[in-house]
Amino acid sequence: MEQSLALQCGAEPFPGYKLNHILGRGGYAEVWHSSTANGGTVALKFMRSDDPVSAAKELRAIQSMKSIRHPNLIRIDQVWSVPGYVVFSMELADGSLMDLLYAYYEEYGTPIVPERVCQYLSQSAVAIDFLNAHVHELDGQRVAFQHGDLKPSNLLLFGDTVKLADFGLAVPMNSSRVSRNPSGTVQFASTEVFQGSLTDQSDQFALAVTYCLLRGGQLPYTDSPPSFRVPYTRPIPDLGMLPEAERHIVARGLAASPSARWPTCRAMIEALSRIHNVSMTEMAFFR
């Protein structure tokens, strides 16, 4: 049995790449600031995958996304499979929207101001709608993609530009609903994910949860189970962290029935932006 790659400062996991310091660590992945042979810097994400079947699935998902280009999608440069990990190199971000939320709390003691949330999530919505559209070529078919793990830590900042990252759980959609074993982050997962399927509106649900956290500092579901192995049904969301004028807009994005949600993510964020007098011209500036 092959031994997993050792991740430590100074290590060279591949020819021409040197690990400088860790940028983040989660339950299944680590992201490292890395130098390249030409003097540049990139982020290397190491996704643990001791199961060959899971590794092949994650590798295929990332490879499928590699050819898709959009200004608000992270650029994936290379993908590797090594003992214990699926690894990909990507642009080096300044941080994530989750980092920005922590910074706001540290400096101001509040969540991110609503105008800023709308400006950043408008970019995210455009990227998600592009990804969710049934226009992408895969194995001779036109498919959409559901990101499958949308949350603030996967929305990366490059100056004032937001880019959606982390496509290891992305799923091609050849219909409006597909069966799939539940996966992702339970706090952001939609009703149908717990029921074993993904729909064209599943990412929108996660975006609505993201808005609650960035705007109000709280999640709309405080009873999410520790994992998908626990039977669970989403209750009516608690939107008390939001002003009353916003609640019906976000509640629609969190509807239990996917067909009752907004037609697009952009439509939902535009409705929220109008409340805060954030014009599309201002939001376009950030794109």
Side-chain angles (χ1 to χ4, degrees):
M1 183 177 177
E2 290 184 284
Q3 189 173 8
S4 294
L5 192 67
L7 303 181
Q8 57 190 18
C9 294
E12 296 187 7
F14 317 104
Y17 291 86
K18 180 180 179 180
L19 302 185
N20 298 323
H21 58 267
I22 194 164
L23 294 169
R25 180 183 284 121
Y28 301 99
E30 295 183 13
V31 180
W32 284 78
H33 182 289
S34 306
S35 302
T36 62
N38 63 6
T41 55
V42 297
L44 289 182
K45 182 159 189 174
F46 295 81
M47 297 179 64
R48 292 186 187 88
S49 192
D50 298 318
D51 177 357
V53 175
S54 296
K57 189 178 296 184
E58 290 166 354
L59 194 59
R60 177 175 171 79
I62 297 168
Q63 290 281 21
S64 298
M65 294 295 304
K66 187 179 174 184
S67 61
I68 297 177
R69 293 284 185 263
H70 187 276
N72 298 112
L73 293 178
I74 196 80
R75 188 187 71 246
I76 299 172
D77 295 319
Q78 296 192 61
V79 184
W80 302 271
S81 181
V82 298
Y85 297 97
V86 172
V87 190
F88 59 95
S89 66
M90 59 184 182
E91 305 165 85
L92 191 61
D94 299 321
S96 70
L97 290 187
M98 196 68 203
D99 296 327
L100 185 63
L101 179 62
Y102 290 144
Y104 261 80
Y105 268 114
E106 186 173 341
E107 186 165 353
Y108 307 111
T110 66
I112 303 171
V113 294
E115 295 81 6
R116 209 68 168 164
V117 174
C118 290
Q119 288 162 344
Y120 286 133
L121 291 192
S122 71
Q123 298 177 63
S124 308
V126 170
I128 297 163
D129 287 344
F130 170 75
L131 202 59
N132 293 170
H134 288 257
V135 297
H136 308 290
E137 292 285 342
L138 180 65
D139 298 334
Q141 297 184 63
R142 284 193 177 273
V143 301
F145 285 93
Q146 283 292 303
H147 181 274
D149 198 20
L150 182 68
K151 54 188 177 181
S153 59
N154 286 337
L155 293 167
L156 303 185
L157 286 166
F158 297 79
D160 283 325
T161 298
V162 176
K163 295 190 180 186
L164 178 57
D166 199 350
F167 305 118
L169 296 178
V171 174
M173 306 278 292
N174 53 19
S175 63
S176 60
R177 181 185 287 264
V178 299
S179 297
R180 183 208 188 197
N181 290 330
S183 62
T185 304
V186 291
Q187 291 86 352
F188 295 83
S190 64
T191 307
E192 63 269 21
V193 168
F194 284 95
Q195 298 168 351
S197 65
L198 274 177
T199 70
D200 282 343
Q201 290 79 29
S202 295
D203 282 345
Q204 182 187 136
F205 187 103
L207 184 64
V209 176
T210 293
Y211 182 85
C212 292
L213 183 57
L214 297 178
R215 168 75 173 97
Q218 297 177 38
L219 294 166
Y221 305 102
T222 57
D223 67 338
S224 293
S227 75
F228 289 106
R229 291 189 292 273
V230 179
Y232 174 76
T233 301
R234 284 276 188 228
I236 296 172
D238 177 3
L239 299 178
M241 81 292 288
L242 301 177
E244 189 171 350
E246 299 177 18
R247 293 175 193 171
H248 73 285
I249 297 172
V250 175
R252 182 175 175 183
L254 297 173
S257 171
S259 62
R261 295 174 198 156
W262 291 89
T264 64
C265 291
R266 180 168 178 166
M268 178 175 69
I269 300 302
E270 284 180 352
L272 290 164
S273 299
R274 284 193 290 271
I275 293 174
H276 302 292
N277 296 315
V278 179
S279 71
M280 292 310 296
T281 302
E282 288 178 276
M283 292 194 285
F285 171 77
F286 281 85
R287 290 198 287 276

